[in-house]
Amino acid sequence: MSETGRKLGTSILKFTLLVGLIQGSCKVLGLVEKLVLGYSFGTQTAGYACDIVAFEVILVTLEVLKGVLAPALLPTLEEAREREGEERGWQLVNSFLGLAVVVLLPVVALAGLFAPDIIAAYTGWGAEQAESLALATRFFRIMFSGAVFLGAGVITYATLNSYRRFGLPALGDLTFKVLGLGGLVGASLIAQAAGKVELGIWGLVCGIFAGSLGYVGVHLLGLRAIGKAKYLKARINLKDPYFQRVCYLA
């Protein structure tokens, strides 16, 4: 094997191990989060059930965005940049960043408005679980308001990948988990000291929202570190053929 091939193989192995370590840490933190929730509040409480339900809805939203949009954007972005230059690639990125905001803001607003119906459809809860439904609705509205930042983060995730940066996007996932768990632990300690343990679960709810900010924030810091943040501009060009291609692929 040539020296170039060995260096490439070593580089790929290092990135694979790094990303695997970060993603594995996310899974461990998710387990710790569930253990802390169960230990602090009990698995049979309304707060525990409501938090799990609301959190699952936003996790599904994130996974759908990552699974559908990122694989369609990445190859098209690389092609646009290779054929027509850096600026052309960023026109495509900025169109999707703008679209994420324009589309997700009303989606978040509508989801908040119809949150009781969404939660009821997801869980099958009815009049007998009215108290749980009301609590889950409040949790859901706070958590899901971070979907705008998660949507933008999926775009920046794919953009960093196109520059062969894989560790930073994975760190966004870790930040999302760490802030959620940190909010839960911090609020639980405060709530226990105040003698109102049941209020501690709100720490996780607010931590998830903070994690949504941190998710895209880490990516933006990464883009700034490689000198690409200057290309970020709020523009949408629906007639862009590359934009349309990504939509077809997605």
Side-chain angles (χ1 to χ4, degrees):
M1 182 183 293
S2 67
E3 183 66 22
T4 301
R6 281 195 294 272
K7 288 182 178 179
L8 178 60
T10 301
S11 178
I12 292 173
L13 179 60
K14 287 180 179 178
F15 278 123
T16 301
L17 290 174
L18 175 61
V19 172
L21 178 62
I22 293 174
Q23 294 295 342
S25 299
C26 289
K27 298 299 183 183
V28 172
L29 287 174
L31 174 61
V32 172
E33 177 187 290
K34 299 299 184 297
L35 291 173
V36 172
L37 271 173
Y39 177 79
S40 300
F41 309 104
T43 57
Q44 302 302 314
T45 62
Y48 180 88
C50 294
D51 182 81
I52 295 298
V53 168
F55 193 27
E56 284 300 318
V57 172
I58 195 168
L59 280 181
V60 168
T61 302
L62 175 60
E63 291 305 317
V64 167
L65 288 172
K66 287 177 68 174
V68 172
L69 188 56
L73 176 61
L74 181 56
T76 310
L77 172 58
E78 291 187 331
E79 180 184 346
R81 199 161 56 215
E82 182 179 346
R83 287 187 174 184
E84 303 184 41
E86 189 83 356
E87 291 279 357
R88 188 68 180 85
W90 276 97
Q91 288 177 17
L92 177 61
V93 171
N94 288 325
S95 286
F96 275 99
L97 283 173
L99 185 68
V101 175
V102 169
V103 170
L104 288 175
L105 276 176
V107 167
V108 166
L110 287 171
L113 181 62
F114 294 103
D117 301 303
I118 294 172
I119 299 296
Y122 188 81
T123 61
W125 289 346
E128 295 181 356
Q129 297 85 18
E131 183 179 347
S132 295
L133 183 58
L135 185 59
T137 296
R138 291 196 291 272
F139 286 175
F140 174 78
R141 283 171 175 160
I142 295 174
M143 288 184 184
F144 199 70
S145 59
V148 176
F149 304 107
L150 293 176
V154 170
I155 309 301
T156 51
Y157 184 102
T159 303
L160 281 167
N161 284 170
S162 73
Y163 286 106
R164 304 298 183 266
R165 298 295 193 278
F166 304 103
L168 277 169
L171 278 177
D173 293 330
L174 186 60
T175 300
F176 182 72
K177 282 291 186 184
V178 167
L179 289 176
L181 180 59
L184 171 64
V185 173
S188 296
L189 292 174
I190 294 172
Q192 286 180 3
K196 297 181 179 180
V197 179
E198 69 279 1
L199 298 179
I201 201 167
W202 283 95
L204 177 60
V205 175
C206 296
I208 294 302
F209 176 77
S212 301
L213 290 170
Y215 179 75
V216 68
V218 168
H219 299 167
L220 294 176
L221 289 174
L223 289 172
R224 182 177 181 181
I226 62 175
K228 304 301 180 181
K230 61 184 178 182
Y231 293 107
L232 290 168
K233 297 176 183 177
R235 294 178 180 173
I236 302 177
N237 182 6
L238 300 179
K239 296 182 179 180
D240 181 356
Y242 289 119
F243 178 90
Q244 295 175 357
R245 184 187 303 177
V246 174
C247 292
Y248 293 145
L249 290 172

